[in-house]
Amino acid sequence: MSEKNTDHGPCGRCTRPQSGHPGQDARLSGARPGQPASQLDAEQGEASAASKQRLRERMGRLRREQPVELAERRARAAQERLLDSPCWKQADCVALYVGIKDELGTSHLLEHAWSTGRLVWLPRVRRGSRGIMDFVACTGRDQLRSGPFGLLEPDAALPGVGPEDISARAARNDATAGQATAGSAAMGSPPFLPDLMVIPGLAFDVSGGRLGYGGGYYDRFLQAGLDCPRVGLCFDFQLVSALPLDPWDQRVHHVCTEERLLCP
């Protein structure tokens, strides 16, 4: 594999969007004279939640309405595009996901990663902890089991790394930043240090904004301090000009579809 690039910027074959993100302030500048800030915040929050829900419903419908063969061709093309990018080729350790029904799958990425000796991390929902997931190192499909939401996820017996472990590592000084945390090595897991994270979503925008399913699993994990390039993987119709984002919504550095690889 080629020398790694730690820069999260353009990954070689990216195209930049033609127009920039209008920004939250421009979209939400609906204050009335004398209106209390708290009231405005509440109204804006309600409007954002409603807009997100409408967009989730629309994108879910569009995904379901795709003919199966067309969806498979598009998914394969998107994965091939990512495999051909320097950000994949430079990655020895990748965090992926296993697609659920109608979602852009990752079977080609997974098989390529395992067959080329890359360390693969996959998410596992943490039982009894709403909105929390762990990432687990997996060596092949034989370590996957049926989980909630129709997911295939790592076996419950395998050790995982959670957002609290990422926060602990982020708080360390430079001298110990590359070492395993107590929540990983002590339990038999390698340190979670992906060179690339591939992230699903219901929609992305041209500035790297992401709309998930509403559970906050990825937002909580990413805001813990994980520092690596993030690629949103989706069908091209899931890419929009601007999303109704909240301050806690985490962004991606690149968006890959069957048509293009964007570097916002």
Side-chain angles (χ1 to χ4, degrees):
M1 300 176 192
S2 57
E3 183 178 355
K4 296 179 186 177
N5 177 13
T6 57
D7 185 7
H8 297 173
C11 66
R13 290 184 174 84
C14 286
T15 58
R16 292 193 179 277
Q18 296 299 312
S19 58
H21 194 293
Q24 235 179 7
D25 292 341
R27 290 198 309 273
L28 301 180
S29 57
R32 298 186 294 274
Q35 184 180 19
S38 58
Q39 181 182 348
L40 176 61
D41 290 343
E43 291 178 359
Q44 291 175 346
E46 292 173 2
S48 175
S51 296
K52 286 181 174 182
Q53 186 56 33
R54 287 194 297 270
L55 190 54
R56 287 189 178 104
E57 292 172 357
R58 174 177 166 239
M59 290 301 176
R61 184 180 68 255
L62 290 174
R63 289 200 320 197
R64 290 191 300 273
E65 291 174 351
Q66 282 191 107
V68 174
E69 291 185 359
L70 177 59
E72 290 176 351
R73 288 199 304 270
R74 287 171 168 172
R76 178 76 180 208
Q79 292 174 84
E80 291 284 1
R81 187 173 296 278
L82 183 55
L83 286 173
D84 193 43
S85 69
C87 47
W88 177 274
K89 292 178 178 180
Q90 295 166 357
D92 295 327
C93 175
V94 292
L96 295 170
Y97 67 92
V98 181
I100 59 175
K101 185 179 180 182
D102 302 323
E103 195 170 58
L104 198 155
T106 59
S107 58
H108 192 41
L109 295 176
L110 285 166
E111 294 306 324
H112 184 277
W114 281 321
S115 67
T116 54
R118 287 170 166 82
L119 178 59
V120 175
W121 293 84
L122 293 171
R124 181 180 63 205
V125 174
R126 188 182 296 181
R127 306 299 190 270
S129 300
R130 184 177 178 181
I132 302 295
M133 65 181 181
D134 299 305
F135 270 88
V136 180
C138 291
T139 59
R141 287 189 176 275
D142 60 315
Q143 293 186 323
L144 302 181
R145 305 288 183 269
S146 296
F149 313 118
L151 292 167
L152 272 179
E153 60 176 25
D155 190 292
L158 296 172
V161 177
E164 68 276 11
D165 301 315
I166 303 302
S167 297
R169 193 183 70 210
R172 293 182 173 201
N173 59 38
D174 293 341
T176 59
Q179 297 179 9
T181 66
S184 57
M187 297 177 62
S189 174
F192 183 64
L193 297 169
D195 302 309
L196 181 69
M197 174 175 275
V198 181
I199 301 175
L202 276 167
F204 294 88
D205 69 25
V206 295
S207 291
R210 173 184 176 270
L211 178 68
Y213 295 88
Y217 288 91
Y218 275 92
D219 288 330
R220 290 185 179 89
F221 209 99
L222 294 173
Q223 70 186 10
L226 183 64
D227 183 25
C228 72
R230 312 168 185 175
V231 177
L233 187 64
C234 66
F235 297 109
D236 203 69
F237 62 75
Q238 294 176 264
L239 186 60
V240 301
S241 59
L243 287 171
L245 298 177
D246 291 300
W248 55 83
D249 290 323
Q250 297 293 300
R251 294 178 176 270
V252 296
H253 304 104
H254 315 289
V255 182
C256 185
T257 77
E258 72 274 19
E259 299 289 341
R260 46 192 161 164
L261 177 59
L262 290 180
C263 292

